[in-house]
Amino acid sequence: MLEKIIELTNLYIDSMSKKERKKYGQFFTSMETARFMASLYEMPVEKSYVTVLDAGAGSGILSCAFIEWAEQFDTITEIELTCYENDENVLGLLQENLEYCKEHSTKKIKYSIHTENYITSQYLDFNCMIGRNPNSSKFDYVIGNPPYMKISKDAPEATAMPEVCYGAPNMYFIFAAMGLFNLKDDGEMVYIIPRSWTSGVYFKRFRQYFLTEGRLEHIYLFVSRDKVFDKEEVLQETIIVKIRKTNTSPVQVKITSSKSNKDFDEITSLTVPYSLVVSGKDYYVYLVTDEEEVSVLKRLHQFNRTLPDIGVKMKTGLMVDFRNRDMLRDKEEDGAIPLFYSQHIKQGKVQFPIQKEHEYVVTDQCGLMQDNKNYLFVKRFTAKEESRRLQCGI
């Protein structure tokens, strides 16, 4: 079934511009990824009728992957599928694909497509009684590839869920929070989402809700950033997470990855103590990939003080070059002072000059100058493919 749904989806992708799809944060799951996500669920015991939620359903790839996965279990006889999708461009394809699955499945398939906004249509249920409203819809399984789209702090979806939003929100974690809310107790949720939520202040409220109401059971880490979404040029670092809705923390969490994202072959598996992966009052999630990193993390967890606690202050550079173009100079002159970029950090030291343009700045604004003291410069951004993620220079 899934091959057919992918074939029809690819025709849609070719006919619709990426600019148009980007308005909805729409990136379609590959066939291999969808099948892997569905495989993470546990077979239901003594349950012939199951309910599934696919919010942000797109063309129905994940819904079909779930139905295809369920085909192997004789115990399941009926599947009720609830899809949310409000992009009018893809609704016809979604309907066509679900009908195809219904006709070709050995199970009794019942589905409904909701075209209203998934978040704002039920935010009152979410805010009235977080995670415990008996009147809201609850499902045995939730599967999702949510929209990847930054929204403003006063967007309807953000203001609808103040419990999980802070700072600059993104639709993906709002969908994940509502998905967990819609899960039955002890139900399972599998989502493919960016890994940015695992740390940082902006995601603190989300983590507190997500990892209090649910517990991580499985994390899949993609080796390469450019093979996750088939036919899509996306460099977002994403992970697949499986969450169970429970208040009981597991002893361990499983972390997997493979050499190839394309077919998920040669998967390596690491079992790590849950308390090591999900740690601290801020619920940071540490994505370790091997025993060496586990050992490092155990040593780091022994520190009981932070950098500010020991008198080390951190701050972002004061100068933003493109906002002060008139002050920039390519060569040294009277009154000019160095302007450091990440390119000046090389092999643990700050090298200057390196004949880069705009290496100097001329200004009398005290707020843009820093005292000539001892510093350790740290690059704000490094690529995953670099040998060290943390790069600094004295």
Side-chain angles (χ1 to χ4, degrees):
M1 284 185 289
L2 193 54
E3 283 91 342
K4 181 65 175 178
I5 272 60
I6 293 291
E7 178 187 334
L8 294 172
T9 301
N10 287 341
L11 290 174
Y12 168 80
I13 292 174
D14 292 338
S15 68
M16 188 65 60
S17 70
K18 187 173 181 179
K19 182 179 179 181
E20 181 69 20
R21 291 185 286 113
K22 196 173 181 181
K23 289 196 304 186
Y24 296 89
Q26 193 179 77
F27 300 99
F28 292 97
T29 319
S30 70
M31 179 169 63
E32 294 80 11
T33 301
R35 280 182 172 150
F36 178 79
M37 289 173 66
S39 74
L40 296 179
Y41 291 114
E42 289 184 10
M43 183 186 73
V45 179
E46 298 178 355
K47 184 177 285 190
S48 59
Y49 166 78
V50 296
T51 56
V52 186
L53 170 67
D54 183 359
S59 65
I61 292 172
L62 289 176
S63 294
C64 180
F66 183 92
I67 294 170
E68 192 179 74
W69 169 80
E71 288 290 316
Q72 63 186 302
F73 304 116
D74 294 335
T75 52
I76 301 176
T77 58
E78 186 175 355
I79 299 171
E80 182 174 353
L81 186 65
T82 299
C83 294
Y84 279 83
E85 182 53 61
N86 60 0
D87 178 2
E88 294 180 358
N89 295 316
V90 79
L91 282 174
L93 177 60
L94 175 60
Q95 172 96 32
E96 181 183 352
N97 286 344
L98 294 180
E99 275 296 321
Y100 183 88
C101 290
K102 183 177 180 179
E103 292 172 6
H104 290 79
S105 175
T106 62
K107 315 297 181 184
K108 181 180 179 182
I109 305 295
K110 189 164 82 173
Y111 71 84
S112 59
I113 299 174
H114 298 259
T115 57
E116 65 266 33
N117 186 301
Y118 171 57
I119 303 300
T120 59
S121 63
Q122 55 179 343
Y123 78 96
L124 288 176
D125 285 349
F126 182 89
N127 290 309
C128 286
M129 198 178 296
I130 297 292
R132 299 181 182 85
N133 191 335
N135 299 318
S136 59
S137 300
K138 301 293 181 182
F139 300 86
D140 298 305
Y141 299 98
V142 173
I143 194 165
N145 173 7
Y148 301 78
M149 186 167 57
K150 289 181 180 179
I151 57 175
S152 64
K153 290 187 286 187
D154 56 357
E157 294 85 359
T159 57
M161 298 179 68
E163 291 284 342
V164 299
C165 288
Y166 173 83
N170 193 302
M171 287 292 282
Y172 84 78
F173 76 78
I174 296 177
F175 264 66
M178 190 66 85
L180 183 63
F181 169 75
N182 286 139
L183 202 58
K184 291 180 180 178
D185 288 342
D186 206 42
E188 297 173 75
M189 169 179 172
V190 176
Y191 253 49
I192 177 169
I193 53 177
R195 57 192 285 168
S196 50
W197 66 274
T198 58
S199 64
V201 176
Y202 285 164
F203 304 96
K204 180 178 177 180
R205 289 182 185 174
F206 166 68
R207 287 195 304 273
Q208 287 175 332
Y209 170 73
F210 202 56
L211 299 174
T212 300
E213 292 292 320
R215 298 293 187 273
L216 280 167
E217 288 192 345
H218 193 131
I219 304 171
Y220 179 85
L221 306 175
F222 287 97
V223 175
S224 174
R225 294 181 294 173
D226 61 352
K227 301 290 192 296
V228 180
F229 298 102
D230 202 19
K231 294 180 72 67
E232 306 275 18
E233 294 178 2
V234 179
L235 285 179
Q236 176 68 259
E237 289 199 60
T238 51
I239 59 177
I240 295 172
V241 294
K242 177 188 175 185
I243 297 277
R244 184 178 296 276
K245 191 166 186 176
T246 176
N247 294 321
T248 304
S249 293
V251 177
Q252 298 172 317
V253 58
K254 190 175 183 179
I255 300 177
T256 57
S257 61
S258 69
K259 293 181 179 179
S260 169
N261 296 337
K262 189 65 179 174
D263 51 13
F264 291 85
D265 64 345
E266 298 182 49
I267 289 181
T268 59
S269 178
L270 183 68
T271 303
V272 186
Y274 190 85
S275 59
L276 197 69
V277 174
V278 179
S279 181
K281 65 181 186 302
D282 291 331
Y283 292 91
Y284 285 128
V285 178
Y286 296 92
L287 304 174
V288 291
T289 59
D290 54 42
E291 292 295 345
E292 183 180 2
E293 291 182 1
V294 170
S295 175
V296 171
L297 194 54
K298 286 179 178 178
R299 285 154 57 194
L300 287 174
H301 279 350
Q302 292 175 2
F303 294 128
N304 55 15
R305 293 193 293 174
T306 63
L307 291 176
D309 290 338
I310 60 174
V312 179
K313 295 181 180 180
M314 301 178 68
K315 61 180 176 182
T316 304
L318 305 174
M319 180 76 174
V320 180
D321 57 354
F322 62 83
R323 292 178 184 164
N324 300 280
R325 297 186 191 279
D326 58 321
M327 301 178 184
L328 305 178
R329 303 290 187 272
D330 292 339
K331 296 180 180 180
E332 187 176 13
E333 63 180 62
D334 289 342
I337 59 175
L339 178 57
F340 295 105
Y341 294 83
S342 60
Q343 292 96 319
H344 290 108
I345 301 174
K346 297 178 182 294
Q347 298 178 332
K349 294 182 179 180
V350 176
Q351 297 182 16
F352 186 92
I354 57 172
Q355 283 69 54
K356 181 189 183 301
E357 66 175 357
H358 304 155
E359 279 189 307
Y360 296 92
V361 60
V362 175
T363 180
D364 56 3
Q365 295 184 32
C366 295
L368 294 179
M369 296 186 284
Q370 296 184 172
D371 291 338
N372 189 7
K373 295 181 177 180
N374 293 329
Y375 293 97
L376 181 69
F377 288 178
V378 182
K379 285 188 180 182
R380 287 188 65 189
F381 299 105
T382 54
K384 179 182 179 182
E385 290 77 14
E386 293 189 44
S387 58
R388 289 180 178 270
R389 295 302 293 270
L390 188 64
Q391 296 191 26
C392 52
I394 298 170

